[in-house]
Amino acid sequence: MRRVIGCVFVLVGAFALVAAGVAGFWGRDAAATVPLNVNTTTVLEGTASGALAKSDDPVKVKYTRTTEAAPKDSTDDVVVFVEAGCIMIQEGDTPDCARAEVDPRVVTTTERAYAMDRKTSEVVEDQAKYVGEDKAVPNMTGLAGKFPFNTERHDYEYWDDTLGKTVIATYVDDVDVEGVKTYQFEVSASAEDESLSPGDDGVKDTEDDVRGSYEATQTIYVEPTTGSYIDQSATQKMVTSTGLELIDAEMSYTDETVANNAEDAKANISKLDLIGTWIPVGGVVAGLLLLLIGLWLVLRGRKPNGGAHASSDDRTLVDA
């Protein structure tokens, strides 16, 4: 019986070691994948002035952005995100968003859809294949919604919607935010003669576009294990070629948004550590322990050298 139990322990121990190896070499990489159930709301607050803000002096504004994955349009390798953003002047009981034609407190509204590689977090080449021709952003490349898993301390190409091209997100420093280690990146974009918005035809990059100068900066604090944003601040200034200031805005994540981002990042790091570190380590320890116990039981269950037949032969020789 000891030998049977010992063999079972050996088999289970060997299986645990194999499982630990698989988890160690494959599990963490498999877990480091953008999920298909993302549905988040990000809030920034600050000030804005200019024609779009209906004021020459800075007024309080709030920018609410929702980001939701579209599982039906996504695949095992690519996730499709649909984003909607809205900047509202804060006067009285202001909603998160409204239609510009019915609420004068609306500064700007934006919508976009894009497809991202679930591993690298880079937007994929054939956007139209996933979001449709009418929503696809031409020549979209680089990073758009998050940084990659295991973000490194170097510069990245970062997509700018207004310019319609990538700019450089420059690594600056390691910074602790709400108890979370982050990498600080600085993004700067500018142009002197840029299409700031479509004209009456509603199509950008045509003759009746509103053109002018554009300046924007972003400071992004990225949690490197997950590539998620923890904190962010941004500025944007647009002036038409006729000298009209469209907007001069400065905003940053609210304290609540930063706290929620930090909490989510800590939870996701724990999940990745569990799959990529603790399960493999625990599997190795448990596997070795079971193997040792199993081998001990197998060896203890073996009969002494010669066994019962040897004893009988000895007695026969003595009797003779």
Side-chain angles (χ1 to χ4, degrees):
M1 179 60 72
R2 282 183 178 178
R3 294 188 65 186
V4 173
I5 297 175
C7 289
V8 172
F9 272 52
V10 169
L11 289 174
V12 174
F15 177 80
L17 288 175
V18 172
V22 171
F25 288 102
W26 175 82
R28 187 182 182 91
D29 181 65
T33 303
V34 179
L36 299 179
N37 61 346
V38 174
N39 189 350
T40 62
T41 299
T42 303
V43 181
L44 296 87
E45 291 181 341
T47 61
S49 60
L52 294 176
K54 291 89 175 175
S55 175
D56 293 332
D57 299 317
V59 294
K60 290 184 178 180
V61 294
K62 182 172 74 171
Y63 175 36
T64 304
R65 181 178 66 237
T66 59
T67 304
E68 185 174 2
K72 292 183 179 180
D73 299 320
S74 304
T75 68
D76 291 340
D77 300 318
V78 176
V79 57
V80 173
F81 282 119
V82 178
E83 287 186 353
C86 191
I87 301 178
M88 297 287 295
I89 298 170
Q90 297 302 287
E91 290 180 353
D93 186 14
T94 309
D96 290 338
C97 197
R99 294 168 57 189
E101 59 267 28
V102 299
D103 194 328
R105 293 171 296 183
V106 176
V107 179
T108 60
T109 59
T110 57
E111 291 184 2
R112 71 172 181 176
Y114 59 93
M116 172 199 297
D117 187 289
R118 297 181 66 192
K119 288 292 186 183
T120 67
S121 299
E122 294 183 352
V123 295
V124 299
E125 290 186 6
D126 190 1
Q127 290 288 307
K129 175 182 177 181
Y130 298 96
V131 305
E133 292 285 352
D134 56 332
K135 295 181 180 179
V137 178
N139 305 315
M140 194 176 189
T141 59
L143 303 175
K146 66 181 290 294
F147 276 64
F149 291 96
N150 300 314
T151 298
E152 298 180 359
R153 295 180 179 90
H154 62 62
D155 300 347
Y156 288 89
E157 292 188 346
Y158 191 87
W159 179 257
D160 185 285
D161 279 317
T162 302
L163 296 181
K165 65 179 183 180
T166 59
V167 293
I168 301 300
T170 303
Y171 167 77
V172 177
D173 199 2
D174 289 19
V175 179
D176 182 276
V177 179
E178 292 287 329
V180 176
K181 174 186 175 183
T182 72
Y183 293 166
Q184 177 185 345
F185 288 90
E186 297 288 347
V187 183
S188 179
S190 64
E192 289 301 320
D193 183 24
E194 184 62 33
S195 173
L196 303 179
S197 66
D200 294 335
D201 61 2
V203 181
K204 195 174 180 181
D205 294 325
T206 55
E207 292 184 357
D208 67 342
D209 282 5
V210 177
R211 304 190 69 87
S213 63
Y214 166 75
E215 297 178 15
T217 64
Q218 291 183 70
T219 301
I220 309 172
Y221 298 90
V222 178
E223 192 290 304
T225 301
T226 61
S228 59
Y229 294 2
I230 303 299
D231 197 2
Q232 182 180 17
S233 59
T235 67
Q236 187 181 82
K237 186 174 183 177
M238 295 183 183
V239 180
T240 69
S241 55
T242 62
L244 175 65
E245 182 179 84
L246 289 179
I247 192 168
D248 186 356
E250 182 176 350
M251 292 174 284
S252 59
Y253 279 179
T254 63
D255 291 342
E256 182 179 2
T257 295
V258 174
N260 289 338
N261 290 344
E263 184 178 347
D264 290 343
K266 291 175 183 177
N268 290 330
I269 292 171
S270 296
K271 292 177 183 177
L272 290 173
D273 286 343
L274 176 64
I275 296 172
T277 302
W278 296 113
I279 288 180
V281 171
V284 169
V285 172
L288 289 175
L289 184 60
L290 290 170
L291 276 175
L292 291 174
I293 294 174
L295 289 172
W296 180 78
L297 289 173
V298 169
L299 293 175
R300 284 294 301 268
R302 293 179 60 185
K303 296 179 180 180
N305 187 30
H309 293 294
S311 299
S312 175
D313 292 342
D314 289 343
R315 285 194 299 270
T316 302
L317 290 173
V318 171
D319 292 340

